[in-house]
C-alpha cells in the first residue's frame, strides 16, 4: 500500500473485452474491504458532485443508510470542496502515504463536464499535497480523443485491451451451454453463430445475446422429431430462417428480446418452413422511417 502509484492509468480498448471485469477483480483482491479504491460508473454518476461524493464514501467506508438519513460522508459541490475533503479524510485516518485509487468506468463521458475536470483529476495527487492517489480511467476511445485541448494534463500510463481471438470467443460462448444440453452440439452451434454474424458483430455481449435467443430454435427440431442431435448440418439448415431474421430484426433492435421470444415460439419448421420467416419478419413491420441498407 505504501508503494507510489502512477498519477493516472488509462485502460482502453473495444467494448466487451474484459476491461471492467479484470479491474474490478484486481482491486477486490488488492483491497477486499474496499476502503482504498472507489469504482465509479460515469453513467450513474452523471454530475461531478455525484462522482466526488461517491469517491469519498468509498474511501471512508461510509454507506448512506436510514441511520444517517442517507447522507454522504461530505458535501462536495465543486472540485475545491472535494480536494479539501480528501485532505481531511486522509489526515484523519492517518493513511496519507497509502495508495488510494479512483476507478472511473466509461470515462469518455467526463469530456462533457467542462475542460478542467479531467485535467484536475489527472493532477489529483498534486492538488492534494502529494497524496498517494491514482486515477484509473476505463474507456472505449483512444487517449488522443481524450487529451484536453488547453494542455496542462500529463499523459497517463496506457494499457490496451485488444479484441478477443476467434478461439477465445468460442471458448467463452461455449460456457453458456445449458446444463441439460449436449456440450458437443452447443459448440457446433456457437461456431455456426460466429461464422454467420462475425462480419457484422464483433461485440461479445451481442454474440452471447444472439446465442441465447437462437439456441432454443436451433434445438427445437430435436424435440419435434424433425432431426436428432447427431444431425448438426440438418439442424443448421432448419435454423437458417431464424439466422436471417435475427440479423435483420433482433440484432438491429427493430424488435425487443421479449417480442422475439413471444413471436418466435409460435413459428416452427415442423409446420411450414416458409411460415417461420413470415411470422418473424411480420414482427417489425412498420411504415415509419426509410428502408435504408443499414450494414452498408
Amino acid at each position: 500500500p505504501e508503494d507510489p502509484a502512477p498519477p493516472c492509468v488509462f485502460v482502453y480498448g473495444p467494448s466487451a473485452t474484459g476491461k471492467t471485469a479484470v479491474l474490478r477483480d484486481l482491486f477486490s483482491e488488492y483491497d477486499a474491504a474496499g476502503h482504498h479504491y472507489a469504482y465509479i460508473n460515469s453513467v450513474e454518476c452523471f454530475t461531478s458532485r455525484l462522482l466526488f461524493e461517491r469517491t469519498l464514501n468509498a474511501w471512508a467506508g461510509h454507506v448512506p443508510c436510514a441511520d444517517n438519513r442517507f447522507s454522504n460522508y461530505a458535501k462536495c459541490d465543486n472540485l475545491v470542496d472535494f480536494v479539501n475533503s480528501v485532505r481531511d479524510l486522509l489526515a484523519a485516518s492517518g493513511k496519507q502515504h497509502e495508495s488510494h485509487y479512483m476507478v472511473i468506468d466509461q470515462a469518455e463521458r467526463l469530456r462533457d463536464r467542462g475542460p478542467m475536470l479531467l485535467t484536475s483529476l489527472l493532477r489529483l495527487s498534486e492538488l492534494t499535497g502529494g497524496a498517494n492517489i491514482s486515477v484509473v480511467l476505463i474507456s472505449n476511445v483512444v487517449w488522443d480523443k481524450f487529451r484536453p485541448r488547453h494542455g496542462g494534463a500529463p499523459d497517463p500510463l496506457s494499457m490496451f485491451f485488444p479484441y478477443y481471438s476467434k478461439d477465445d470467443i468460442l471458448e467463452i460462448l461455449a460456457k453458456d451451454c445449458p446444463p441439460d444440453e449436449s456440450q458437443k452440439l452447443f459448440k457446433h452451434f456457437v461456431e455456426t453463430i460466429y461464422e454467420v454474424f462475425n462480419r457484422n458483430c464483433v461485440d461479445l455481449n451481442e454474440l452471447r445475446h444472439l446465442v441465447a435467443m437462437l439456441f432454443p430454435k436451433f434445438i427445437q427440431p430435436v424435440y419435434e422429431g424433425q432431426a436428432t442431435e447427431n444431425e448438426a448440418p440438418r439442424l443448421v439448415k432448419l435454423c437458417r430462417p431464424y439466422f436471417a431474421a435475427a440479423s435483420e430484426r433482433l440484432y438491429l433492435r427493430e424488435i425487443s428480446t421479449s417480442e422475439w421470444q413471444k413471436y418466435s415460439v409460435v413459428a416452427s419448421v415442423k409446420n411450414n418452413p416458409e411460415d417461420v420467416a413470415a411470422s418473424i419478419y411480420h414482427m417489425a413491420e412498420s411504415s415509419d422511417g426509410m428502408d435504408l441498407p443499414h450494414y452498408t
Side-chain angles (χ1 to χ4, degrees):
E2 291 79 15
D3 289 344
C8 182
V9 180
F10 183 67
V11 180
Y12 69 105
S15 60
T17 51
K19 301 183 295 296
T20 300
V22 168
L23 283 170
R24 297 201 74 163
D25 284 355
L26 174 66
F27 280 104
S28 297
E29 290 290 331
Y30 164 73
D31 179 24
H35 295 168
H36 287 78
Y37 78 96
Y39 174 78
I40 310 295
N41 190 314
S42 293
V43 176
E44 298 175 5
C45 300
F46 50 88
T47 66
S48 298
R49 176 178 175 177
L50 288 172
L51 186 147
F52 296 151
E53 293 179 349
R54 185 75 63 88
T55 301
L56 288 171
N57 287 345
W59 288 351
H62 177 84
V63 179
C65 61
D67 294 337
N68 54 37
R69 297 185 178 181
F70 298 98
S71 61
N72 294 302
Y73 174 80
K75 184 179 179 181
C76 298
D77 291 321
N78 51 55
L79 181 67
V80 175
D81 291 342
F82 176 63
V83 170
N84 291 332
S85 296
V86 170
R87 287 176 175 173
D88 295 342
L89 170 63
L90 297 182
S93 61
K95 299 179 179 179
Q96 298 96 323
H97 302 295
E98 294 186 8
S99 52
H100 288 73
Y101 295 87
M102 179 191 293
V103 185
I104 305 177
D105 204 350
Q106 301 191 43
E108 61 273 4
R109 293 174 178 264
L110 297 179
R111 298 177 297 177
D112 302 328
R113 301 184 192 173
M116 293 306 299
L117 176 62
L118 185 58
T119 302
S120 301
L121 289 177
L122 294 177
R123 293 188 174 276
L124 188 58
S125 176
E126 180 181 334
L127 293 173
T128 53
N132 198 3
I133 295 176
S134 179
V135 177
V136 182
L137 304 175
I138 308 174
S139 178
N140 296 332
V141 304
V142 297
W143 175 247
D144 289 339
K145 294 184 178 181
F146 249 93
R147 184 180 287 108
R149 296 179 181 178
H150 55 76
D155 286 337
L157 176 67
S158 297
M159 182 175 297
F160 176 66
F161 276 59
Y163 280 113
Y164 288 117
S165 66
K166 176 182 177 180
D167 292 338
D168 292 335
I169 291 176
L170 295 180
E171 181 180 350
I172 294 170
L173 292 177
K175 295 180 182 295
D176 291 335
C177 179
D180 54 343
E181 298 292 351
S182 167
Q183 187 75 29
K184 180 180 178 181
L185 180 64
F186 190 79
K187 286 184 177 180
H188 187 279
F189 169 71
V190 297
E191 289 177 5
T192 303
I193 290 291
Y194 181 84
E195 295 299 332
V196 171
F197 292 99
N198 75 312
R199 287 189 177 183
N200 298 321
C201 176
V202 294
D203 190 320
L204 179 60
N205 289 331
E206 290 289 343
L207 287 174
R208 292 184 67 189
H209 178 242
L210 290 169
V211 166
M213 293 295 101
L214 289 171
F215 185 68
K217 306 311 296 182
F218 178 77
I219 203 70
Q220 185 176 357
V222 175
Y223 295 104
E224 293 180 346
Q226 300 296 301
T228 65
E229 291 188 357
N230 297 324
E231 297 177 298
R234 175 170 171 75
L235 291 173
V236 172
K237 181 180 179 180
L238 293 174
C239 198
R240 285 200 180 279
Y242 297 103
F243 292 161
S247 65
E248 296 187 16
R249 304 297 185 182
L250 184 63
Y251 175 55
L252 298 183
R253 296 298 191 270
E254 292 184 8
I255 59 174
S256 66
T257 299
S258 59
E259 287 177 318
W260 171 272
Q261 293 174 325
K262 176 182 176 181
Y263 288 104
S264 66
V265 164
V266 300
S268 171
V269 292
K270 185 177 181 180
N271 302 326
N272 186 348
E274 295 180 358
D275 291 342
V276 174
S279 63
I280 295 176
Y281 275 96
H282 180 69
M283 290 185 231
E285 284 186 357
S286 174
S287 58
D288 298 332
M290 299 175 64
D291 188 15
L292 297 176
H294 176 88
Y295 290 124
T296 305

